[in-house]
Short mmCIF file of all heavy atoms in Angstrom, two decimals:
data_model
loop_
_atom_site.label_atom_id
_atom_site.label_comp_id
_atom_site.label_asym_id
_atom_site.label_seq_id
_atom_site.Cartn_x
_atom_site.Cartn_y
_atom_site.Cartn_z
N ARG A 177 38.76 1.54 45.59
CA ARG A 177 39.45 2.17 46.80
C ARG A 177 38.53 3.25 47.51
O ARG A 177 38.48 3.19 48.80
CB ARG A 177 40.69 2.92 46.41
CG ARG A 177 41.93 2.08 45.84
CD ARG A 177 43.17 2.92 45.62
NE ARG A 177 44.12 2.11 44.97
CZ ARG A 177 45.11 1.51 45.77
NH1 ARG A 177 45.00 1.59 47.11
NH2 ARG A 177 46.15 0.82 45.27
N ARG A 178 37.77 4.06 46.67
CA ARG A 178 36.93 4.95 47.40
C ARG A 178 35.51 4.88 46.79
O ARG A 178 35.15 5.87 45.94
CB ARG A 178 37.41 6.39 47.11
CG ARG A 178 38.81 6.61 47.79
CD ARG A 178 39.46 7.97 47.53
NE ARG A 178 39.81 8.14 46.02
CZ ARG A 178 40.95 7.67 45.63
NH1 ARG A 178 41.85 7.02 46.47
NH2 ARG A 178 41.19 7.82 44.27
N PRO A 179 34.77 4.02 47.22
CA PRO A 179 33.45 3.78 46.60
C PRO A 179 32.47 4.95 46.89
O PRO A 179 32.72 5.60 47.90
CB PRO A 179 32.93 2.60 47.33
CG PRO A 179 33.65 2.50 48.68
CD PRO A 179 35.00 3.01 48.28
N PRO A 180 31.48 5.20 46.27
CA PRO A 180 30.61 6.24 46.46
C PRO A 180 29.86 6.07 47.81
O PRO A 180 29.74 4.97 48.36
CB PRO A 180 29.44 6.08 45.36
CG PRO A 180 30.11 5.29 44.24
CD PRO A 180 31.11 4.52 44.94
N ALA A 181 29.48 7.25 48.46
CA ALA A 181 28.81 7.10 49.70
C ALA A 181 27.64 6.28 49.81
O ALA A 181 26.83 6.27 48.93
CB ALA A 181 28.50 8.60 50.12
N GLY A 182 27.72 5.53 50.89
CA GLY A 182 26.49 4.54 51.07
C GLY A 182 26.73 3.22 50.40
O GLY A 182 25.83 2.29 50.56
N ARG A 183 27.83 2.99 49.69
CA ARG A 183 28.07 1.75 48.98
C ARG A 183 29.24 1.04 49.39
O ARG A 183 30.39 1.64 49.34
CB ARG A 183 28.05 1.84 47.48
CG ARG A 183 28.24 0.52 46.78
CD ARG A 183 28.12 0.64 45.24
NE ARG A 183 29.24 1.29 44.65
CZ ARG A 183 30.33 0.63 44.41
NH1 ARG A 183 30.51 -0.65 44.60
NH2 ARG A 183 31.43 1.27 43.80
N ILE A 184 29.24 -0.11 49.97
CA ILE A 184 30.36 -0.82 50.39
C ILE A 184 30.81 -1.71 49.29
O ILE A 184 30.06 -2.50 48.74
CB ILE A 184 30.08 -1.79 51.65
CG1 ILE A 184 29.58 -0.85 52.80
CG2 ILE A 184 31.17 -2.59 52.04
CD1 ILE A 184 29.29 -1.58 54.02
N PRO A 185 32.11 -1.59 48.86
CA PRO A 185 32.56 -2.37 47.77
C PRO A 185 32.60 -3.93 48.07
O PRO A 185 32.64 -4.27 49.32
CB PRO A 185 33.86 -1.83 47.40
CG PRO A 185 34.36 -1.30 48.79
CD PRO A 185 33.16 -0.81 49.50
N ASP A 186 32.62 -4.75 47.00
CA ASP A 186 32.78 -6.13 47.16
C ASP A 186 33.94 -6.58 46.30
O ASP A 186 34.00 -6.59 45.19
CB ASP A 186 31.55 -6.89 46.68
CG ASP A 186 31.66 -8.35 47.00
OD1 ASP A 186 32.42 -8.83 47.90
OD2 ASP A 186 30.98 -9.23 46.17
N PRO A 187 35.11 -6.97 47.07
CA PRO A 187 35.37 -6.96 48.52
C PRO A 187 35.85 -5.51 48.94
O PRO A 187 36.34 -4.79 48.20
CB PRO A 187 36.56 -7.83 48.58
CG PRO A 187 37.29 -7.75 47.29
CD PRO A 187 36.34 -7.43 46.19
N ASP A 188 35.51 -5.32 50.16
CA ASP A 188 35.94 -4.01 50.85
C ASP A 188 37.48 -3.95 50.82
O ASP A 188 38.15 -5.00 51.30
CB ASP A 188 35.43 -4.03 52.19
CG ASP A 188 35.88 -2.68 53.00
OD1 ASP A 188 36.93 -2.64 53.49
OD2 ASP A 188 35.04 -1.76 52.93
N PRO A 189 38.03 -2.89 50.49
CA PRO A 189 39.47 -2.82 50.27
C PRO A 189 40.25 -3.09 51.59
O PRO A 189 41.23 -3.75 51.67
CB PRO A 189 39.86 -1.34 49.85
CG PRO A 189 38.51 -1.01 49.17
CD PRO A 189 37.49 -1.62 49.83
#
Side-chain angles (χ1 to χ4, degrees):
R177 290 183 183 272
R178 295 177 293 277
R183 183 174 72 81
I184 299 176
D186 183 24
D188 180 275

